[in-house]
Amino acid sequence: MNWYVVYTKPKWEKKVADKFKQLGIECYCPLITQIKQWSDRKKKIEVPLFNSYVFVQVADSERNSVFQVAGVVRYLFWLGKPAVVKNEEIEIIKTSLKSPNISDVSVSEIQVGDKITLESGAFSNQSAIVQEVSNNYYILVLETLGCVLKIKYK
């Protein structure tokens, strides 16, 4: 069975993933912990790594079953077909999120348009194209994962 990417309504990722699990549909919604600050307190919350995306593993004949769940908008398409994510890529995301120091990525003298390979951190050994360089972050395009990564540095 293939992994597909389901596009959800904004802020519905965890609800959709929970409903998939209740229906017996294999899914993965990668979560990261962030500290949110309000005027009176700080709180650790889990937020999706990819906004509005949930990965599902279903047989081709059962692809329409995901639309039973409220909050599902459509499949993500790539070149006119539903985007297929390799098992290895799902495993890379899972092992990367288990890494104790996700923000430990450093890059030096990078120019926009350079093709680089990340050497450490959550996405180590992934090739990326530098899209933007700022005073305190880089924006990288990870072609194999089909996503944009913003790396903050000190």
Side-chain angles (χ1 to χ4, degrees), residues 38-63:
W38 286 268
S39 60
D40 60 338
R41 68 193 187 295
K42 288 184 181 180
K43 186 176 181 182
K44 286 185 181 181
I45 60 169
E46 284 190 325
V47 295
L49 179 62
F50 304 107
N51 292 333
S52 297
Y53 292 146
V54 175
F55 300 100
V56 294
Q57 188 175 36
V58 293
D60 288 340
S61 60
E62 298 174 5
R63 273 206 335 249

Side-chain angles (χ1 to χ4, degrees), residues 10-152:
K11 310 285 187 206
W12 278 61
E13 303 90 345
K14 291 195 276 187
K15 295 176 209 167
V16 167
D18 288 342
K19 192 64 176 172
F20 282 153
K21 290 175 186 171
Q22 289 175 4
L23 293 174
I25 297 173
E26 179 73 25
C27 69
Y28 177 54
C29 180
L31 301 173
I32 56 173
T33 302
Q34 289 184 343
I35 298 175
K36 293 286 185 179
Q37 171 137 11
W38 286 268
S39 60
D40 60 338
R41 68 193 187 295
K42 288 184 181 180
K43 186 176 181 182
K44 286 185 181 181
I45 60 169
E46 284 190 325
V47 295
L49 179 62
F50 304 107
N51 292 333
S52 297
Y53 292 146
V54 175
F55 300 100
V56 294
Q57 188 175 36
V58 293
D60 288 340
S61 60
E62 298 174 5
R63 273 206 335 249
N64 287 335
S65 64
V66 301
F67 295 110
Q68 301 174 47
V69 176
V72 172
V73 177
R74 61 181 170 82
Y75 279 102
L76 180 71
F77 280 76
W78 178 255
L79 301 176
K81 297 179 183 177
V84 176
V85 180
K86 298 175 188 171
N87 279 329
E88 302 86 47
E89 293 172 331
I90 296 292
E91 290 304 316
I92 288 170
I93 295 169
K94 287 180 179 179
T95 55
S96 297
L97 291 177
K98 291 178 186 174
S99 174
N101 195 356
I102 290 178
S103 63
D104 186 26
V105 178
S106 64
V107 184
S108 60
E109 300 193 35
I110 299 295
Q111 303 288 326
V112 173
D114 284 352
K115 189 166 187 171
I116 62 169
T117 301
L118 300 175
E119 296 177 354
S120 65
F123 296 96
S124 62
N125 298 323
Q126 290 293 308
S127 61
I129 297 175
V130 179
Q131 186 176 27
E132 182 179 334
V133 178
S134 176
N135 289 338
N136 56 0
Y137 67 87
Y138 293 102
I139 295 184
L140 307 174
V141 177
L142 301 175
E143 292 178 317
T144 58
L145 297 177
C147 67
V148 176
L149 178 65
K150 182 176 181 179
I151 299 177
K152 294 182 183 180

